[in-house]
Structure formats: structure tokens, C-alpha cells
Amino acid sequence: MLSYRHSFHAGNHADVVKHLVQVAILDYLLKKDKPFCYHDSHAGAGLYSLLAEQAQKTNEYQGGIAKLWQHEVQNPTLQRYIDVIKQLNTDDELAFYPGSPKIAALMLRSTDSIQATELHPTDYPILASQFARRRYSRIENMDAWAGFKAMLPPLYKRGLVLIDPPYELKTEYQDVVAGLQLAYQRFPQATYAIWYPVIERDAVEAFIRELVNTGIKNQLRIELCPHSDSSGYGMTGSGMLVINPPYTLAATMREVLTEIQPHVAANGDWQVHQLVPE
């Protein structure tokens, strides 16, 4: 279960759509003065070198963030996303890519709290070292679902919970549904953003139906697929199922995906659909 290392995949098309959704939600939460909590269930190492052996072995970032790095941006959310990444790079060289907890650290105010769990024995200390001096942060070497029990609800009554397991095992799909129900019961005010890979379409649709059938209201589906559906192996796209989305999120993501499609999904497609009403 601990074989997955995100360093091989950092900055790919799945990261692009996941982090664009994350940035859009965080920016919305930042509009209010009151602090909020960001909780990351599968946090990874936090920061990745795109020049390291792992990233260079797969070159997946070349089909993701590298396609947008020098793009003349129109949408402000897309610009915000790129600006966050540029904070970690100099001289227009794309050398580092932030994971979701690092993006949160770069965007949040000192009064906002960050919680994260990571089980991998190598990635956890790398992640924890980045938050050692940050107040209002709690980084644990802990299973994601145990982390929900230990940390939710947080002190603050607003927040974003990002759930993005590697889905190494088929049972992880059921774990996500059960984990979401647990977290939502404890922290129903939060926005939940659940990442999922598109590998086999029937399995994806079955997973989405399970999420819908939880009875949780206000579910928005956002998906970007650079490649056509395939019955073979390999990820053809990915998506985010967002619960309690900001009212601006659907329109924002339609604009963003329209802008980035020619660059990262020229032969593919995208969708933004309200699956369950408020």
C-alpha cells in the first residue's frame, strides 16, 4: 500500500486540474477575514523537484504544468495558480512543483490552520520539516481516515478538506466513500474536494454513483480528460467531486478548463456538472 510516490507524477495533467480547483476554493475562503482550516488527507512530500530522477523518468509534468508555464493567461484563477508555482521557481525555469499542502502553505494567512496526514515513512518527514516553524499547523504520520477522527472537526468552523488517495487498491474507492461520510458527519460546514482518476469509465461512474448515493447534498463534478476513454491500463484523465462548493466554482472552472484544454487536453474533453443540488 505504501509503494506510491507522487514524485513520479508531480505536475501532470491530474495535478493541474486538482490544484486549480484547490486554488479556486482557497481564494474564495480567503475573501472573508475569519480564519479557516485546510485539511489534507494524503499529503505526500509537499514539494517536488521536476529535475529529480523520479520526475525525469516519467516526464509527466511535460504534459501538465509545462504546457501552461509560459501561457499568456486570461482567467484570474489560472493566473493565481501559476503565480503560486512561480514563488518556488526563479528565472522562469520550471524546476519545482508544489503538492497540495505546499500550495495551501503559500496561499493561507498566518491565522489560518493547516492539517495534514501522510503515512509514507519517507514522504512524511520531508513534509513535516516544511511546517516545523508554522503556527497553527498539525502534520501527522497517520492514516487518512484515522486523521479524520483525530482532527475533525477543527477549531475553525470553515474549511476545505482535500481527499486524494492514490487508489492503489480497489478497496480505496469504498474507503473514500466511508471516510467522506465520517468526515462530513463531524465537519458538515466544510467544502470537500475528492480527487479521482479516470482509468476505466464504468468503474469511475460506479464510484460517482456511490458518492451521490450517500445522500450528501450539493455535489459538483469537475473532470478533465486529455485522452479518450480506454479499456486498457493507464490514466486517461481525472476529476474532482466537490461537496459544498463555492457558488462561483462551477462558472470559474468552466472558464479555466475552456482556456487550458487546447494546451493540456487538445484531443480530449472536460465537464463541469452539478450532480446533486443544494
Side-chain angles (χ1 to χ4, degrees):
M1 282 189 66
L2 296 178
S3 61
Y4 179 84
R5 301 296 301 280
H6 193 66
S7 50
F8 289 92
H9 313 289
N12 66 2
H13 60 79
D15 265 2
V16 168
V17 68
K18 174 172 62 179
H19 293 147
L20 280 166
V21 171
Q22 179 191 9
V23 167
I25 295 170
L26 291 179
D27 259 347
Y28 181 83
L29 291 170
L30 286 164
K31 291 181 184 297
K32 291 186 178 180
D33 292 335
K34 287 187 177 181
F36 64 90
C37 174
Y38 171 78
H39 183 104
D40 201 312
S41 68
H42 298 75
L47 182 63
Y48 305 95
S49 170
L50 299 179
L51 305 180
E53 180 182 357
Q54 294 95 328
Q56 290 293 312
K57 183 176 182 179
T58 61
N59 268 323
E60 288 188 17
Y61 73 95
Q62 293 288 358
I65 183 58
K67 296 282 190 179
L68 301 172
W69 185 240
Q70 301 297 341
H71 169 59
E72 293 186 9
V73 177
Q74 303 297 317
N75 182 273
T77 295
L78 179 56
Q79 186 64 62
R80 174 79 149 133
Y81 163 66
I82 292 175
D83 286 345
V84 168
I85 298 168
K86 284 186 174 180
Q87 292 183 52
L88 301 169
N89 295 278
T90 58
D91 300 326
D92 293 326
E93 180 187 15
L94 180 59
F96 295 97
Y97 188 85
S100 47
K102 187 66 174 181
I103 288 174
L106 291 168
M107 291 183 65
L108 268 56
R109 302 159 298 201
S110 60
T111 52
D112 299 315
S113 69
I114 296 178
Q115 302 177 347
T117 52
E118 174 52 50
L119 201 54
H120 198 285
T122 302
D123 285 349
Y124 167 72
I126 298 172
L127 175 71
S129 67
Q130 296 168 54
F131 291 87
R133 297 184 180 181
R134 191 189 192 281
R135 296 182 63 191
Y136 307 117
S137 63
R138 181 179 177 184
I139 315 299
E140 298 285 356
N141 186 203
M142 184 183 293
D143 173 79
W145 322 123
F148 287 166
K149 292 180 180 179
M151 301 188 208
L152 300 181
L155 178 63
Y156 302 137
K157 301 308 178 187
R158 298 191 306 134
L160 168 61
V161 178
L162 185 69
I163 305 173
D164 62 335
Y167 298 97
E168 288 183 285
L169 303 175
K170 290 184 178 180
T171 55
E172 284 189 273
Y173 291 90
Q174 286 71 45
D175 291 342
V176 167
V177 176
L180 169 65
Q181 290 174 303
L182 169 67
Y184 186 82
Q185 185 178 28
R186 300 172 74 91
F187 191 23
Q189 310 97 316
T191 295
Y192 290 83
I194 304 162
W195 178 82
Y196 62 89
V198 176
I199 298 173
E200 198 279 314
R201 178 55 66 180
D202 288 344
V204 170
E205 298 307 318
F207 175 56
I208 295 296
R209 284 195 298 271
E210 285 195 57
L211 292 169
V212 169
N213 289 338
T214 60
I216 297 174
K217 296 180 179 180
N218 200 6
Q219 297 191 28
L220 178 71
R221 181 181 190 174
I222 301 163
E223 189 174 291
L224 175 69
C225 292
H227 309 288
S228 300
D229 290 346
S230 171
S231 58
Y233 294 99
M235 184 173 64
T236 58
S238 67
M240 298 288 275
L241 193 288
V242 184
I243 292 167
N244 294 334
Y247 76 94
T248 55
L249 185 62
T252 294
M253 290 309 301
R254 288 187 185 105
E255 292 178 8
V256 170
L257 295 177
T258 297
E259 183 170 348
I260 71 171
Q261 180 183 5
H263 303 279
V264 299
N267 298 316
D269 203 2
W270 59 266
Q271 61 170 300
V272 178
H273 291 138
Q274 186 78 27
L275 294 181
V276 182
E278 295 184 46

